[in-house]
Amino acid sequence: LRGFLVPRPQPTRSQGAPSPRLPLSSAPAPCSHKNEEDNHSYYVSRLYGPSEPRSREMWVDVAKANRSQAKIHTILSNTHRQASRVVLSFDFPFYGHPLRQITIATGGFIFMGDVIHRMLTATQYVAPLMANFNPGYSNNSTVVYFDNGTVFVVQWDHVYLQGWEDRGSFTFQAVLHRDGRIVFGYKEIPMSVPEISSSQHPVKTGLSDAFMILNPSPDVPESRRRSIFEYHRIELDPSKVTSMSAVEFTPLPTCLQHRSCDACMSSDLTFNCSWCHVLQRCSSGFDRYRQEWMDYGCAQEAEGRTCGDFQDEDHYSASPDTSSSSYDEDLTATSSSLFIDSLTTEDDTKLNPNAGGDGLENNLSPKTKGTPVHLGTIVGIVLAVLLVAAIILAGIYISGHPTSNAALFFIERRPHHWPAMKFRSHADHSTYAEVEPSGHEKEGFMEAEQC
């Protein structure tokens, strides 16, 4: 967790990415909206003022919802700077990525990332009004969420700003539609949003997404450090956030929606879409899958190649020359089997006992066939003992080093059993603690310094 950074990439427009942004520490002030509708490459935003009927139509009345579908989050409703993970009943497309889990925070925003980290408020958020709200101040303050399979609603109801309680309570909501639309609804905004201080907590209204990559650590060459790059952000004009107003974000097509090479390469989107044949994925290279895009050399693979080139490769590999002699066929089978045996990954090891065994026996000399059977048994037992010992040692190491790369690796891949995380509070920084849903026991505890 200590290795998280939030630098920004500097892509060019020719790569299909947004224009370069400044580092978070020197981000420019939000730009005011000149029109009621704005195009943000990934979304189109529409602002509806208090006098427009559409703003009232988009407000979801959670109080009238089915009680089995609407839930008051008891912990979030009684605490300050807490966040809790919730599982959606549908896949929600966010910047083209289907998400099934989100994290609701007391501070008026939803964290959309996979890995909880110390800079929770920095990127990957849906923020109708991110600020230093404290639902624990009043018994009337609640954080409610509603899911009917078509929409997911989070409502911050009658919440107060920490230290500004005399200004009144705020009531607003974020609505995630199954088709990818996002709606911010504002019912009660008792003060001007630009007046809200950001000294104790960031104040934001809008959307953000980022990708995570692994970089070699300069301090420890053999380890890798996780870095977060924000590739897109939408900042709304805070002065337009008023009582009975609403903002609707309609998603625009992205490269990720294309499932074939032809559709990808013929796309007329503003992004520079490329097809990665090995991943069977269409992308501009700037999304949450960037690590795979880099690891598999997708950018280099697509240079100067057409879909026909990929199809020719597939046809060649699937249709070998039928005029080859039986000797050539046996040689091919033997080479393939030897290649599989030489691999050391776990999946390939599991395949080794059944991979091309007949081909090896048919081409080996009688002397090789006479190898004693018990030798393989002994080798298997030794490998099993070593594997068990390695697992035990790994478990001991991970339990003693919760912030190591190995521990983070397993945390990322256990989305349904996240450890509780608590950060030491600092007066000048916003820190969040993640809470477990009711009925779930906490499996671990980690404490990290806020940088």
Side-chain angles (χ1 to χ4, degrees), residues 62 67 70-78 141-145:
V62 178
R67 290 188 177 182
K71 300 178 182 178
I72 296 177
H73 199 293
T74 306
I75 299 178
L76 296 183
S77 300
N78 292 279
S141 301
T142 57
V143 177
V144 187
Y145 63 94

Side-chain angles (χ1 to χ4, degrees), residues 335-403:
S335 301
S336 300
S337 301
L338 291 174
F339 174 73
I340 292 175
D341 285 338
S342 67
L343 300 181
T344 58
T345 60
E346 181 181 356
D347 291 342
D348 291 323
T349 302
K350 293 177 181 178
L351 292 173
N352 282 344
N354 300 320
D358 294 338
L360 278 174
E361 292 180 3
N362 292 336
N363 290 279
L364 292 176
S365 64
K367 183 176 181 179
T368 307
K369 289 182 180 181
T371 304
V373 178
H374 69 274
L375 180 60
T377 304
I378 295 175
V379 172
I381 293 175
V382 172
L383 291 178
V385 172
L386 292 176
L387 179 61
V388 173
I391 293 175
I392 294 175
L393 292 176
I396 296 174
Y397 175 80
I398 291 174
S399 62
H401 302 78
T403 59

Side-chain angles (χ1 to χ4, degrees), residues 388-440:
V388 173
I391 293 175
I392 294 175
L393 292 176
I396 296 174
Y397 175 80
I398 291 174
S399 62
H401 302 78
T403 59
S404 64
N405 288 335
L408 292 174
F409 176 86
F410 286 106
I411 288 175
E412 292 178 27
R413 286 153 179 81
R414 298 171 67 243
H416 297 292
H417 302 282
W418 288 69
M421 300 179 65
K422 182 178 181 181
F423 295 103
R424 297 171 184 167
S425 60
H426 293 259
D428 57 343
H429 291 288
S430 60
T431 57
Y432 275 84
E434 184 185 8
V435 298
E436 294 285 341
S438 58
H440 287 236

